[in-house]
Every structure is written in C-alpha cells, then in structure tokens.
Amino acid sequence: MLWIRMAFLQIIRNKGFAFFFMFNLAMGLAGFIAVLSFGRSLNRHMDENLKEILTADIEISSNTPLTFEEFSIADEVLGKDTQKARLIRFYTMAGTKGDARLVEVMAMDGTYPLYGSFNLLNQTPVKALEESAAVFMTQDTAGVLGFENTANEPPALTLGGKSFVLKDFLSEEPGLSSASFELAPKLYMGIRQLEDTGLIKFGSRVRYSHFFRLGENADIPSLTETLRARFSEKFPGPPRLRINDTRDVNRRLSRVTGYFTRFMGLISITGLFLSGIASAYLFRGYLNSRKKDMAVLMSLGAKKSRIYLTISSELMVMGTLASFVAIIISQALIPAFPFIFKGLIPAHIRIHTDPFTLMIALFMGVAGSLIFCLPLFIRIFRIRPLMLLRNIEETPFFSIRTAPFLFAGFFPVIAAFFYLSCLLTGSVRDGSIFMAGSGLALAILSGLGGIIFSGCQYLSHTRSMVRKIAFRNLFRNKWSSLSCFVSIAMGAFLISIIPQIQKGLQNEISRPEGLKIPAFFLVDIQDEQKEPFLDLVKQEKADLSNFSPMVRGRILSINQHPFYDENNSRSQRLEFNFSHRKTLDVSETIVQGRPLSQTPWHFESKIPFEISVEASFAGQHGIALGDVMGFEVQGIVLEGQVVNFRNVRWNSFQPNFYLLFQDGVLDDAPKTYLASVSHDSVEKRQALRQKIIREFPNISVIDVTRLAGKILSITDRLSVSVRFMAWFSIAAGLVLIFSIARHEALKNQNQINLLKVLGAGTPAIRSITLLEFGFTGCAAALAGVGLSFCFSYAGAWYFFDSLWRFDPNASILILVLTTLISMGTALAASGKVLNSKPAGLLSGLS
C-alpha cells in the first residue's frame, strides 16, 4: 500500500505530466472505442435481423422460373408443409403525369414476407395488392414520382400497359433495402397483377425468388447443404439456381459494410499509434525528471523491483483514468456515425458501447500505458546511486548493453498493434498488410527525419544567431526532434492520402477525362424494336452511342477444364452477357494482344472464333492469351480463343461487357440491345425520355446524371467520415507536438535564461523557438504529403483502377496548416519559459 500511495502522490506532484499523458492516451483511445462500438453495433444489428433481412430461412432464386421438377426436389427436402412465398423483381419505367421514372418492381404474393413486415401508414392489408391493381411505396418515392398531394384522390401511375393506384405508404419495408445501394426506388405490387402489364419479355432481367420458412428446430445449414447436393446430383454441372440462407446474407453484408468500417478502424488504430508515440515520449521525459529521485531511493536501500512497481502503478492509475475519459469522449462521437453514414446503414440501428468494448478500452488504457512505455523501462536498469554525484541530464536511449532489452520491449508493442489491426480489419492478411504498410511509412519517415536533422549541422553554419542556435538545437537533440518529426509527418500523411484518391474518384464519376457522360442508359430494347427505335432517335436528333447487342450465355470451360468450381460454388458466377462490335468504344483500350478480326466467323469454320476479354475479369479467373474457352449460348455449345485483353472504364456509363465475340458468332442468336443517348438541353432530354417510354414501355431508361449524383453523394459521405476520423486521429499527434514543445522549452530553460543574461531579447528567443518548430513542422508536412502521393497512387492503382488525381489545394492547405499549428503550439507551450526572469539562472548556479 505504501508504494501505491507513493504512486498517487507522484501523480499529484507531477500534475502537468499526468494531465498530458492521460489526455493524449484518452484522445487515441476515444477514436478506437467509437469505431469499435460502431462496427460491433452494426454487426450485432445484422446478426439479430438476418432472417428479417432475408425475409425467410432459405431462398431459392434464379433468372428464370423454377420448373416442376425443381419444385418437387425443394418440397422433398424442406417438406411440403413449409411456409412459402414468392417474389419477382425487375426494373422498369413507371409513367406518371407527363413524366416517367425508373423504378424497381417488387411483385409478391400474399404471404410475402415470411419474416418481418410492412409498416403501412393506413394499415392496408398486404393481400389487397393481389386483389386490385394497386401499389405500395414510400413517401420519398412518391415525391420522386411527383405525387405531392395525395389527400384528394389516390394518384395513379402506368406500368407497361396497365394503370395502378397508390394504395398506401410504407414507413418501413422488409429486407435489406434500408442498408443497400438502390439504383431506383421500389414499388410493391401483387404477382397476379403482373400478367397484364406485358413488362416481362425475352431478355428482360428478372429475378425469381422463392422463400421458405421452416420450423424453429430445423437445422437450416444442414438443409441448405442437402438441397444444394440434391440439385447438383439431379442437374450436374454449373447450377442455374442460387440457394441462400442467413449465412450467405451475413457474408454479403460483411463485404458491403466491411469496406468502410475496416478503413475507419485502421484510421483509429493509426490515431492510437500516434498516442502511443506521444505517451512514450512523455514518459521518457518523466523518467529523466525522476532519475535522481530513484537514485536516492536506491541509495537508501530500495530495490529496483519496488521502483518498477511504483512507476508501473503510476502508469496503470493514469491509464485507468484515461480510459474513463476516452469512454466519455467516444460517447460524444458515436451519435455522429448515423448522420455520417445516412443511407448506407439501416436507419433504425442502435449504436452503443457494449461490455466487450468497455473491457477492451479499460485493458488498452491500463495495459496500453505499460506497453507503450515498456521500451523505455530499460532506462531504470542504468540508474545508479552514483548519479547523485554527477550532473547527468539524460541517460542515452540506446547502447550495446541495453540493446537486447530495448528490442524485447518493442515486441509487446508490435504484437498489440498487430492484434488490434486484425481485430478491426477482420483478417490476419489485412492486418498484416496494414502493419507492413505502416511500418514501411514509419521507416521511410524516420529515415528522412534522420537525414534532415543530421543536415541541420550544416544549416547552423551561418552568421545569423537565430538560425545558428535553432538548427544547432535541432541537431543536438536529434532524438527529440525526430520523435516530433515522425508524429507530425504520420498525421500529415494520413490526412493527405485521402483527398488524392477522393479527387480521382469524383473526377472519374462526374466527368471522366476524354469521355462524354450520356444522359440516359437504355436497357431491354427488343430485336423487333430495333428499327423503330433507331428511327425515333434519328427524328429527335439525339446522339446515340454504343448500340450493342446482348446475348445471355454460360462459360463452360477454359482449356477443357470446367469453368465452374464445385469448391467455390457460392461465389462463382455462372452466367454472363456477351456482345460483339466492329470497333471498340473510346472507354475501351487493348492492353495486350491484337484486335478482333473484322472478318465474320462462320459456324462451318473448324477454328474457334476470337474473343476479347476485359483485363480484370481475365485476372480474376486466370484466363491467359491463347486460351480456348467453351460456351453455351441458347443451348448451342461453341468454342472461342482469347486474342486480347481490354481495359474498360466502367464509369463511362457506356454499354460495356466482360467478353466480346468476333462478328458473326451472335448474329442469329435471340438478343436484346443496350444503348446510351446524349442530348444537349435538359428540356430535350425529358421530352426524348417521354417519347421512348410512350412508344416502347418495356425499355428501361436509366437517368445517368441522377445515378452519378447518387454515387457522388455516397462517396462524399464516406469521404466526410474518413476525414472526420483522420482529423480526430491527428489530434493525438498535435498533443504530442505540444508535449514535445513544452518539454523542450522546460528543458532549455537555463539556455533561454543564459541567452537573456547575454543580452538576447525575447523576440530573438521567440524567433528561435518558431524557427525550430516551424522548420520541423514544415519538413514533416512536406515528407508526409509527399509520401502520401506515392501510397495513395499505389492504393488507387490497386483498389480503384488508377483513379488518382493530384489535389494541389488540399496538399497546400495541409502543408500550411501543419506548419502554423506546429509553430503556434510551440509558442504557446514555451510562453511561460519565455516570460521567466534571468534571475533563475543565478539561483540555479547558487
């Protein structure tokens, strides 16, 4: 108890150190706690609502209706008495008063959904949709369709050749609609009312889903695997049905939500890393100030183990207090997440800090304070009572004798950050990549810092007293200067890496270089509608581009080896869209191989036809130039040979395909067409859209400008969230800057007083301080921003197909702000020392 009491007395006696240590650690922990709470709350919400998200226990879906034989197998495995529901979903145009909008039709039977429910404003029975031509929609969808006043009479809309009445408003719908990106708003109608619309034709992209609800004690995973095995046994080869249960939903959601939660988690770890550097630096200065006290205790007979216990007790107490402060700060941050991710996560998710997160926070505060400072504990090994007779300001950090202890002290630090990286990324691989990338960036910045501060010796060779003293101080205190440099540079690196990728994404989505964004993207143009459609576009003098045929088919083999992988059946896509064109679009570029032959291929030919493959698709499936691929198109088996790879800029919103065939292969196959249309004025665009919908109601017209705006809004929200966490994490670095400036100013108090005695004025001393930290901050910002260009370009090349653009405004702003903040922080921290009287030097000498 004596040593614990002494630990509290030391904390009270060293209030300045204790405050900065706890505040710095709390800042790093707060971001970590907030992100971990958000991620765990999101996962918990998904886990608790998986059946409601799927709306069933098991779903069987396909692009065509199930056959009688397939239904029989499902009934045999799952039981005939199982509750069932049907849903048919597709995109089409909904006509309203003088306008039309793309919508997603959800045609359901009276038993859908099997889990979850519709929350309707007027409590209309769901079965009413089966009995009459009516639809449900949300009030937001009604606003998009122009139904502003619905009090007088129910508004009507046209779907295909049939008129429907808005029956009721949805306040909540079943499934994942609230947590997924939607190409168009949804309309719910009855399956019986679908027949008279004439919307489903050959080539229409339709998803037929059958849902099954089993008993409470049913072994759903086992039944799912049995069902897959029975279908595979009955219908060998690539299955045309997709069978999902809640496990598949969970995997799909984890992929979607994991992208942004993982990146934000890594940012929070970086903030914690910066806090760790600051904590270690503060502890380093604290140990130096306590060195003589510990030597006195040793001279009085105290054992080093008791001194370790005292210091450890102080750290654990401060770590515990820092944890509580961090939890309080994180609770203020957590409410911001639903606002930041509005539209990307479920609207009614409840985000809170669970007991596991609290335990992790407490552990990180208590154990983290020890782990961060563990490499510095080796200084206690070098403390001797003889130091009382010597004027030793600071024990050297590194020596041959203490090197093994120093390296051993770093292992727990590395292990802790590796565990946290794996925890927040969800995989050892991603955690390892993050640690490797962070280590590489840290090593590069440390090397640059070492070179810069070694060069300060040459910069001090000047007649200017201010520059001479400032650069000489930086050279003589290389370790302190390097710590400050690395922390600032890591913060600048983290913030600067974001705008470069964001700039590239925004430029490519809104206005791709060298490409013209179309006004509309047209889908499901039937073969018999080809000539009338082309005549209409010609009459309207619209710019039609990439009028492309599309044929649905399957890839059977690559070099006689089955394309379908039975061990990866859940993720292996089975059907693809094929096309052909005489010339490539401007959004396509051949990167390897030769162009497709202009000579049409004939079925009597004994050689395979030529194929052009999109480059990323080829890499994903291991396709090489010269490979012979087998296909099934409308029941006909064909063989083709790969002759080139193409890069495709999908953000051009032009009709593009993974696979292009040689002309002549698909000429006689039943097909639909895709196209894009441009028009100069908004008025002409709307008029053209209305004419297309009126004369060809089955054609889906996607407003590309609206779609691009929706994607941009999502990227903007993600960018805000990432920048929010990045600026919060750099606050830990700013605490470090302040701590270093304060420590260095206090340590140089005698030097400052000596300069005053020798006649140096306060402005000159202030200039020295500003030059020291201004140079450090500016050099660190330059290094961090410069390194971020390399890392952001590599990340854009790997993850975003080289969508990278230099953002000079953001880079200059980061550089200027970092320099000014460094100088201002140093000036504020050293203000007390600058205003002290030179008499302190004489009293110190006496």
Side-chain angles (χ1 to χ4, degrees):
M1 294 297 295
L2 174 62
W3 298 101
I4 297 177
R5 186 165 65 252
M6 290 180 63
F8 274 100
L9 290 175
Q10 288 296 333
I11 291 175
I12 296 173
R13 184 178 300 173
N14 297 274
K15 293 188 291 292
F17 160 74
F19 172 78
F20 284 111
F21 187 93
M22 289 187 293
F23 179 71
N24 162 74
L25 191 58
M27 289 292 289
L29 281 173
F32 173 80
I33 295 170
V35 172
L36 186 61
S37 299
F38 171 68
R40 288 182 59 82
S41 297
L42 186 60
N43 291 336
R44 185 166 51 250
H45 176 86
M46 296 305 182
D47 290 340
E48 293 173 353
N49 296 275
L50 284 175
K51 291 186 177 181
E52 284 75 12
I53 293 171
L54 183 62
T55 70
D57 291 317
I58 295 177
E59 176 195 9
I60 301 177
S61 62
S62 68
N63 294 325
T64 57
L66 268 65
T67 64
F68 176 79
E69 193 172 11
E70 289 167 337
F71 271 120
S72 300
I73 294 175
D75 288 339
E76 182 181 344
V77 174
L78 303 179
K80 293 184 178 181
D81 297 332
T82 302
Q83 297 184 51
K84 304 172 185 176
R86 284 194 301 156
L87 179 69
I88 302 175
R89 56 192 303 172
F90 58 92
Y91 289 98
T92 189
M93 301 301 294
T96 58
K97 299 177 180 179
D99 199 0
R101 288 286 188 273
L102 181 71
V103 296
E104 184 177 8
V105 174
M106 311 285 284
M108 59 184 185
D109 62 12
T111 58
Y112 179 85
L114 299 177
Y115 288 102
S117 61
F118 289 95
N119 290 336
L120 297 163
L121 185 63
N122 298 320
Q123 303 297 320
T124 303
V126 175
K127 291 186 177 180
L129 298 184
E130 289 280 270
E131 300 169 356
S132 61
V135 295
F136 294 154
M137 68 179 69
T138 64
Q139 290 182 324
D140 289 340
T141 301
V144 171
L145 296 177
F147 298 151
E148 298 176 356
N149 185 10
T150 60
N152 298 329
E153 59 177 340
L157 69 159
T158 302
L159 294 172
K162 191 172 183 178
S163 179
F164 288 79
V165 176
L166 173 56
K167 195 73 172 179
D168 207 340
F169 288 110
L170 289 165
S171 58
E172 186 175 341
E173 54 186 314
L176 189 60
S177 58
S178 60
S180 59
F181 175 78
E182 296 179 359
L183 183 64
K186 289 185 173 68
L187 302 178
Y188 288 87
M189 61 180 293
I191 285 183
R192 293 180 185 175
Q193 306 300 326
L194 184 60
E195 298 177 359
D196 298 335
T197 62
L199 291 174
I200 299 180
K201 297 184 178 181
F202 172 80
S204 299
R205 272 154 302 285
V206 182
R207 195 71 182 169
Y208 298 86
S209 297
H210 296 264
F211 302 93
F212 301 85
R213 178 169 179 170
L214 310 178
E216 294 183 0
N217 299 323
D219 187 352
I220 296 174
S222 177
L223 288 173
T224 302
E225 297 304 326
T226 301
L227 197 59
R228 287 172 176 159
R230 288 294 305 276
F231 277 116
S232 178
E233 178 184 351
K234 185 67 177 180
F235 307 102
R240 75 177 195 89
L241 304 179
R242 179 167 294 179
I243 304 171
N244 295 321
D245 58 23
T246 53
R247 296 172 300 165
D248 302 284
V249 174
N250 194 26
R251 278 189 289 269
R252 186 166 64 249
L253 293 178
S254 298
R255 287 196 298 269
V256 174
T257 60
Y259 291 133
F260 51 85
T261 56
R262 186 180 300 121
F263 189 52
M264 290 185 65
L266 294 180
I267 291 177
S268 69
I269 293 176
T270 305
L272 192 60
F273 177 73
L274 292 172
S275 293
I277 296 176
S279 300
Y281 185 86
L282 289 169
F283 183 67
R284 176 191 176 194
Y286 178 65
L287 276 183
N288 285 331
S289 67
R290 291 284 308 279
K291 180 178 57 182
K292 290 185 178 181
D293 292 341
M294 288 185 282
V296 170
L297 291 174
M298 289 180 185
S299 67
L300 296 176
K303 296 181 179 180
K304 286 187 178 181
S305 59
R306 292 303 183 102
I307 296 177
Y308 298 152
L309 180 61
T310 302
I311 300 296
S312 300
S313 300
E314 295 175 29
L315 290 175
M316 292 175 67
V317 170
M318 290 187 293
T320 303
L321 295 175
S323 298
F324 289 120
V325 174
I327 291 172
I328 294 173
I329 297 176
S330 67
Q331 299 312 300
L333 295 176
I334 286 175
F337 282 93
F339 172 77
I340 292 172
F341 292 109
K342 184 179 180 180
L344 300 175
I345 62 174
H348 304 295
I349 184 174
R350 181 172 172 263
I351 301 176
H352 65 280
T353 304
D354 60 7
F356 174 80
T357 305
L358 293 175
M359 290 176 59
I360 289 288
L362 189 60
F363 173 80
M364 287 301 301
V366 177
S369 59
L370 293 173
I371 292 174
F372 294 149
C373 301
L374 189 60
L376 296 167
F377 264 88
I378 62 170
R379 290 174 175 268
I380 301 179
F381 285 101
R382 308 203 64 188
I383 295 175
R384 299 288 186 274
L386 188 60
M387 290 180 175
L388 293 171
L389 304 177
R390 298 180 180 178
N391 186 21
I392 301 176
E393 291 295 331
E394 186 172 343
T395 305
F397 181 69
F398 180 83
S399 68
I400 301 299
R401 183 179 177 183
T402 59
F405 299 100
L406 178 63
F407 292 135
F410 276 109
F411 280 127
V413 179
I414 297 173
F417 275 105
F418 178 73
Y419 170 75
L420 294 177
S421 300
C422 296
L423 176 66
L424 288 181
T425 58
S427 74
V428 176
R429 177 178 175 272
D430 291 342
S432 302
I433 292 175
F434 172 75
M435 287 294 294
S438 301
L440 179 61
L442 187 61
I444 294 174
L445 293 174
S446 299
L448 286 174
I451 295 172
I452 290 172
F453 293 115
S454 295
C456 287
Q457 181 181 12
Y458 302 99
L459 294 176
S460 65
H461 296 162
T462 177
R463 293 183 179 180
S464 171
M465 182 191 71
V466 172
R467 293 201 298 270
K468 181 185 291 290
I469 296 176
F471 288 116
R472 188 167 293 180
N473 286 341
L474 291 174
F475 173 72
R476 288 175 176 176
N477 300 286
K478 282 190 293 187
W479 288 111
S480 299
S481 302
L482 185 60
S483 300
C484 183
F485 174 89
V486 171
S487 66
I488 300 173
M490 283 295 288
F493 166 79
L494 177 64
I495 292 182
S496 183
I497 201 172
I498 299 164
Q500 314 306 327
I501 296 179
Q502 183 201 18
K503 184 79 171 180
L505 285 172
Q506 287 184 337
N507 284 349
E508 287 294 306
I509 291 173
S510 58
R511 47 183 182 279
E513 184 179 348
L515 300 177
K516 183 179 180 181
I517 293 290
F520 302 123
F521 189 85
L522 308 173
V523 185
D524 286 347
I525 304 172
Q526 300 294 312
D527 205 358
E528 65 273 12
Q529 295 173 327
K530 176 181 176 181
E531 296 303 327
F533 174 78
L534 293 176
D535 291 339
L536 174 63
V537 172
K538 186 176 180 180
Q539 291 173 7
E540 295 298 317
K541 298 180 180 180
D543 183 10
L544 180 68
S545 59
N546 282 348
F547 191 77
S548 305
M550 185 180 73
V551 178
R552 194 79 172 168
R554 294 186 180 189
I555 301 178
L556 299 179
S557 63
I558 301 177
N559 295 329
Q560 305 301 320
H561 296 288
F563 179 76
Y564 169 68
D565 183 2
E566 294 185 358
N567 297 322
N568 194 26
S569 59
R570 294 175 187 169
S571 60
Q572 185 86 1
R573 184 176 170 184
L574 306 175
E575 295 183 336
F576 298 90
N577 295 320
F578 309 136
S579 186
H580 65 87
R581 56 180 59 147
K582 295 184 181 297
T583 58
L584 294 181
D585 183 66
V586 293
S587 62
E588 300 174 297
T589 306
I590 295 178
V591 293
Q592 192 175 356
R594 59 176 177 80
L596 294 177
S597 173
Q598 296 294 317
T599 304
W601 182 81
H602 297 283
F603 276 85
E604 294 78 11
S605 176
K606 296 182 179 180
I607 60 174
F609 59 85
E610 297 179 357
I611 311 170
S612 175
V613 184
E614 195 269 337
S616 63
F617 181 86
Q620 179 182 357
H621 296 283
I623 302 173
L625 284 178
D627 283 353
V628 176
M629 303 179 65
F631 301 91
E632 179 189 344
V633 179
Q634 301 296 324
I636 300 175
V637 178
L638 302 168
E639 277 194 346
Q641 187 173 32
V642 179
V643 298
N644 70 55
F645 294 148
R646 291 170 292 121
N647 270 345
V648 177
R649 301 177 70 176
W650 300 101
N651 57 307
S652 65
F653 294 96
Q654 298 288 347
N656 283 309
F657 300 85
Y658 288 125
L659 299 166
L660 292 178
F661 289 177
Q662 183 180 352
D663 192 20
V665 180
L666 304 175
D667 289 354
D668 297 328
K671 63 181 71 70
T672 59
Y673 291 88
L674 309 178
S676 60
V677 174
S678 299
H679 231 313
D680 295 331
S681 65
V682 177
E683 294 76 12
K684 290 183 178 180
R685 291 179 190 176
Q686 304 306 323
L688 175 62
R689 183 176 61 179
Q690 294 306 314
K691 289 186 178 181
I692 293 175
I693 297 306
R694 185 168 55 252
E695 298 190 23
F696 310 101
N698 64 289
I699 296 179
S700 297
V701 183
I702 302 174
D703 191 334
V704 175
T705 55
R706 288 178 178 268
L707 180 59
K710 182 176 289 188
I711 296 175
L712 273 177
S713 67
I714 292 177
T715 58
D716 286 343
R717 286 198 295 270
L718 289 176
S719 177
V720 168
S721 65
V722 172
R723 288 193 182 193
F724 170 77
M725 289 304 303
W727 279 107
F728 185 80
S729 65
I730 202 176
L734 296 179
V735 173
L736 172 59
I737 299 168
F738 185 87
S739 303
I740 292 175
R742 182 176 180 272
H743 174 78
E744 295 298 325
L746 291 172
K747 193 174 72 173
N748 295 333
Q749 183 173 3
N750 287 341
Q751 176 182 320
I752 293 175
N753 282 331
L754 181 59
L755 289 173
K756 288 184 177 181
V757 170
L758 295 176
T762 299
I765 299 175
R766 184 179 291 112
S767 299
I768 293 172
T769 303
L770 290 175
L771 180 58
E772 280 189 49
F773 288 92
F775 175 81
T776 303
C778 184
L782 277 173
V785 171
L787 189 63
S788 73
F789 294 159
C790 302
F791 275 70
S792 63
Y793 183 82
W797 174 81
Y798 187 80
F799 294 105
F800 302 105
D801 197 20
S802 299
L803 300 184
W804 185 89
R805 290 293 183 277
F806 175 59
D807 189 353
N809 295 331
S811 301
I812 294 173
L813 182 63
I814 291 170
L815 178 61
V816 172
L817 283 180
T818 304
T819 304
L820 292 178
I821 289 173
S822 300
M823 296 171 67
T825 305
L827 191 62
S830 58
K832 181 179 179 181
V833 180
L834 289 173
N835 295 326
S836 63
K837 300 205 178 282
L841 175 64
L842 300 176
S843 62
L845 294 176
S846 63

